[in-house]
Amino acid sequence: MDGVDTSITLTVNGREHRLRIDVRSSLLDVLREDLGLTGSKKGCDQGQCGACTVLLDGRRANACLALAVAQDGAEVTTVEGLADGDALSPLQRAFIERDAFQCGYCTPGQLCSATGMLEEAARGWPSAVTGDLTADPDLDETEIRERMSGNLCRCGAYEGIVAAVKEARA
Amino acid sequence: MRPFAYERAATAEEALARCDEETRYLGGGTNLVDLMRLGVERPARLVDVTRLPHDRIEERSSGALRIGAAVRNSDLTAHPAVRRHHPMLVQAVLSGASGQIRNQATVGGNLLQRTRCSYFQDITKPCNKREPGTGCPAIDGEHHNLAILGHSESCVATHPSDMAVALAALDATVLTRGRGGERAIPLADFYRLPGSHPERDTTLEPGELVTAVEVPPLAMPSRYRKVRERASFAFALVSIAAAADVRDGVVRDCRIALGGVAHRPWRARRAEDHLRGRPLTRENLAGAADQELAAAHPLRDNAYKLRLARNLIVRTLLELGERA
Amino acid sequence: MNAIGSRSRVEGREKVTGEARYAVEHPVPGAAYAWVVQSTVAKGEITAFDTADAEALPGVLTVLTPDNAPELAPVSDGELAVLQGRKVSYRGQIVAAVVAETLETAREAARLVRVTYAARRHDVRLTPDHPGRYTPDEAEDGPWQARQGDPEDAFRAAPVRIDCTFTTPAEHNNPMEPHATLAAWDGDALTVHDSNQGPSTVRSTLAKVFELDPARVRVISPHIGGGFGSKGTPRPNVVLAAMAARAVGRPVKLAFTRRQMYALTGYRSPTVQRVRLGAAEDGRLTTIIHESFEQSSTVREFAEESTTPTRVMYRAPNRRTAYHLTRLDVPSTSWMRAPGDAPGMFALESAMDELAVVLGLDPIELRVRNEPDGHPEDGRPFSSRNLVACLREGAARFGWSDRDPTPGVRRVGRRLVGTGVAAATYPVLRSPAQATARANADGSYTVRIAAIDLGTGARTALGLIAAETLKADPAQVTVEIGDSDLPRAGLAGGSAGTAGWGTAVVRACEALLSKLNGHVPPEGVEAAADTTEEVKGQGDEYARHSFGAHFAEVEVDVDTGEIRVPRMLGVFATGRIVNAKAARSQFLGGMIMGLGMALMEESVLDEAFGDHLTADLAQYHIPANADVRDLDAVWLDEHDPHVNPMGTKGIGEIGIVGAAAAITNAVHHATGVRFRTLPLTPPRVLPEL
């Protein structure tokens, strides 16, 4: 379509892609429709559920709110890129072991979000429930719950998610 | 979504030069992209301003902080100086949205986000803010989370930002750059009340670009408290940013701003004036709250916000006093 | 806590790596995208379509309207008559659809379709005394009303009386995966990858609607991103996707947006329920009267049946239960997790708590005193009933014995603290199914059945059931589900999936065992089962129900009206548990949805426009991670030989039943205020404190 298509380069899960995309496309739709990486889910397309969470230049982000054209040159890690070959990441293993999902639709977003969240916590970032803002937060259950609240799970697997995050961090 | 031209600006001049009536500046996009998908915003051109050199937080010799408009919300809350000096600002930003969105959203975008009023977001319904002159169905419709203060016959929307509430309490200044040059707009003058022009949220001129926010030092303990309909990841019903300098049980100075009650962050100056010099007691706090809320005009279904705002003022200031 | 096993989900690896593909994610070359246009009036007629601008957009393949849509064969569900006329019956109804090369083009073209309406005055307001109120002729779970003795006279004569009215809002299921279909035709053969709760049902419906031989329709659904009832009946998406694919001669993907779901995929009716309880001074009930007023669309009759659980709960010689519907110009109501039972038990169990307070009797003791010997209406024995055991087990675990019943006296800082209890029940249901079991030459087994896994862990559970029957290691059993080409099976719904499918799997495995003589030839040995006779032949000499008890602790902030639930415990007697790991998750998930029901979930209807305006996940709040704290679910070892060969009773729904009442009863204990309208948000709570 005239004037609508544009070209971008994305590095997704370590692999560089030169893509011709509709300028209106979200990063989520480019991943799902153009690259066939359907692990990132579309639960609301409004940034209100977190199912589309990916790591964008190393930080967790909602791919549905990111215009793909604005991410030209970015590095993206999706759920498909969390494992090291056949070896699942500690979080992925813990999610299975702790039954941290039921339908599995929010799971890729939960996993990417938890991966990014652990990194944020390791850097000492505070959250809304952190008492002393000048100290490094202790990532207890209350902290994990607050920090993972951007990922809704209608099956209600929250207890398993918190347990899995704790286990993977240990 | 209407097709649009996308351009990345490297400098403010470049951004300004490319901006016309049908252009929107793109920050993190966390609100704009949603509004575009909803059909509320239909820009012909997006100028991406995230690569502008506005992504730093600088500490001035005056003790003020200059926060670039392109600073991500999460970087603001992670910054040591902000954490040390402005707990209420950090808490306000952290109580907004989710970790993901805070990683994407910029300070400038946070300031300029639009109301979450249902009618505004639904293009199949009238809304004076979205389409001037079409009416405001919220006044007689669903408005349990809309304004009690400063609203008009044409609009009862509330401003959704938490960060802006803290900035209002902090006497922050919004630094901008427009065709007429640079401006420093006190936050109190930055947001508008709806009046008969609810389509305008701010006093920004067309094309004027927010470049930074300057936060003067504040030597008082502060905190932000937000009440909402679930424990996290929800917009405020009512929120409060408060700071107090309490010595010997007397309020020497204080700052109070309310969120979720008006078209803009509501600086409670009457309450502050009432409190200064008075003992920090429940009674005086309630009196201060009543002074402020005397101007309120609750709608059919949101009178609870009066009590909520009053209780938050009393409780938050008492808690700040206990710490002193 | 016994169970057949405790296994991690067999599809776990697929789900944590992103390999699991849901409906529209299946790779199909050349797929086009469909987008729906929804009505902007709640009632009326379409007078004109202008599709010129939409059709002129490059990349648009077709615009379907009632004027050019193919005629479909009528089916009983009026929601499936997609684009079959110009009548508008609710705001948000599908009035046109665009098919285009890309998602973005389809969305933009849908916006460009202009529809003109002759709107008529709509009626969307549910009131108990609505002039259009009627009592439906029949319902799925029995008569619309039941009456014994003289309930009204008994109520007037009762020494202790409770008469209160409870209001529950419309609630939307909101599974995380929106309803979605990828449809492709090959001649007159139709294949859909679809998000649903029963591929066999979707197949037979599509065959009817498009007048096809069912053998030419295939429904493939290996993974479903939740349903909670909303995917229990085929939805307009599957019909429209198939219609669109046929129209453009290409595969078509159609996924509803989250916003569209609020009009198009069903929701729980709001209810107004009046409960009258009459009791003797010792707490023994003399009469129970429970009436419910609910809504239905004009397109599809659906009764929430909120008074049904009251029929099995407590002994009382005089009793009456009835529900009434009003057909309004609203989107169609439908199943949402524990339809009827969830709102009904909120009302009944709140009323029981009110009675306990009036009597000064412990709420557990009140329930124990009213425990029936058999079914309260006809005296039939229960196949098993362990409500009292659940209450006692829960009381011991929760620390109920120290509870001071006085309301409004426990204060921690600025928070009032209280605890509450409520009972739970859910019927034991089962539908017929077919299954095959195959012994392979390598010692492994394959079980095949058109069951489906919405997140329940069905694949894993059926593997455990098969392995037990075959006396094999579960790792040796492969279960194939989620495809209508597999042996026909009923829905994942009514907490009946495992019971119905499991029966067929057990019978197929038994048949296989009887065929095996120690030697498996290279081509394997297969046996089949069909449980139609067995299931239909099961008599009603027993009343078959699950029971449970919920305990909740709440903190109510006196300044803000915010309610937090630091502790929640569910104790369930649901027969034999199949997979301990997944069962616990499912109970907890139900309880969390009950927490949402109690504290935040509400679809607000805009009376001026006629639609639900809380139409996204920022306005319709479901519990987030931070809302959930210390949560536990346990079960009793219950052996029930009268339900099915596994002894299972179904666990998918009972977790939500009664959970809201336990929380609101705790709120009363904390504050002394009785809230009879859900949900208990700060705007409702604060003014009463």
Side-chain angles (χ1 to χ4, degrees), chain C residues 195-212:
Chain C
S195 189
N196 65 76
Q197 293 180 214
S200 299
T201 308
V202 174
R203 177 176 69 169
S204 56
T205 304
L206 286 174
K208 269 184 222 152
V209 168
F210 290 96
E211 297 179 283
L212 302 168

Side-chain angles (χ1 to χ4, degrees), chain C residues 94 115 263 311 355 406 514 541 558 588-589 630 639 674 676:
Chain C
I94 297 174
V115 187
R311 300 175 59 192
L355 179 61
T406 318
S514 69
E541 66 277 19
V558 296
L588 296 180
D630 180 358
H639 300 279
R674 183 66 66 176
R676 299 190 182 92

Side-chain angles (χ1 to χ4, degrees), chain C residues 387-601:
Chain C
L387 171 58
V388 171
C390 287
L391 288 163
R392 297 229 154 103
E393 175 72 18
R397 286 175 178 264
F398 197 73
W400 189 262
S401 60
D402 316 332
R403 181 180 187 260
D404 170 4
T406 318
V409 296
R410 285 151 302 278
R411 208 166 164 134
V412 178
R414 300 292 296 167
R415 285 166 305 181
L416 291 164
V417 178
T419 52
V421 65
T425 188
Y426 198 81
V428 179
L429 308 170
R430 183 167 65 145
S431 49
Q434 301 169 353
T436 61
R438 181 179 191 83
N440 304 309
D442 63 0
S444 68
Y445 299 91
T446 307
V447 170
R448 305 173 83 233
I449 180 167
I452 199 146
D453 192 339
L454 311 180
T456 57
R459 213 177 255 107
T460 315
L462 295 177
L464 286 167
I465 288 168
E468 181 179 54
T469 310
L470 295 164
K471 298 184 174 57
D473 184 330
Q476 288 179 289
V477 181
T478 300
V479 178
E480 293 179 17
I481 62 170
D483 188 333
S484 67
D485 274 3
L486 295 166
R488 186 178 174 83
L491 292 175
S495 296
T498 302
W501 306 328
T503 301
V505 167
V506 166
R507 298 308 178 212
C509 290
E510 287 171 350
L512 176 64
L513 286 176
S514 69
K515 268 190 177 180
L516 290 173
N517 51 8
H519 167 72
V520 180
E523 70 276 17
V525 178
E526 186 170 289
D530 183 334
T531 63
T532 306
E533 295 302 314
E534 178 179 354
V535 171
K536 302 238 149 128
Q538 187 173 52
D540 59 0
E541 66 277 19
Y542 292 102
R544 299 177 177 89
H545 298 267
S546 291
F547 292 91
H550 292 278
F551 293 78
E553 179 180 323
V554 301
E555 296 173 350
V556 183
D557 190 305
V558 296
D559 294 317
T560 65
E562 294 163 293
I563 299 173
R564 300 284 183 258
V565 183
R567 215 155 54 99
M568 209 170 164
L569 168 69
V571 182
F572 302 98
T574 56
R576 196 158 174 231
I577 295 297
V578 177
N579 183 4
K581 199 171 204 171
R584 181 164 184 277
S585 295
Q586 223 178 343
F587 286 133
L588 296 180
M591 290 162 66
I592 291 172
M593 210 178 274
L595 183 151
M597 178 181 175
L599 300 184
M600 63 190 82
E601 294 191 33

Side-chain angles (χ1 to χ4, degrees), chain B residues 42 118 225 230 307 315, chain C residues 111 559 562 619 622 689:
Chain B
R42 292 178 58 76
S118 295
R225 170 86 161 91
R230 69 179 165 198
R307 177 142 167 224
R315 163 104 159 248
Chain C
R111 204 192 60 84
D559 294 317
E562 294 163 293
Q619 297 177 88
I622 66 171
L689 296 180

Side-chain angles (χ1 to χ4, degrees), chain C residues 112-128:
Chain C
L112 294 174
V113 173
R114 311 240 186 282
V115 187
T116 313
Y117 303 90
R120 287 195 279 149
R121 196 182 174 79
H122 60 253
D123 178 7
V124 297
R125 184 178 202 168
L126 175 67
T127 54

Side-chain angles (χ1 to χ4, degrees), chain B residues 164-166 168-170 224 239-242 255-259 265-268 272:
Chain B
V165 180
L170 284 163
Y224 189 77
S239 66
I240 181 170
R255 303 279 180 87
I256 303 170
L258 298 170
W266 192 266
R267 181 71 182 268
E272 292 174 9

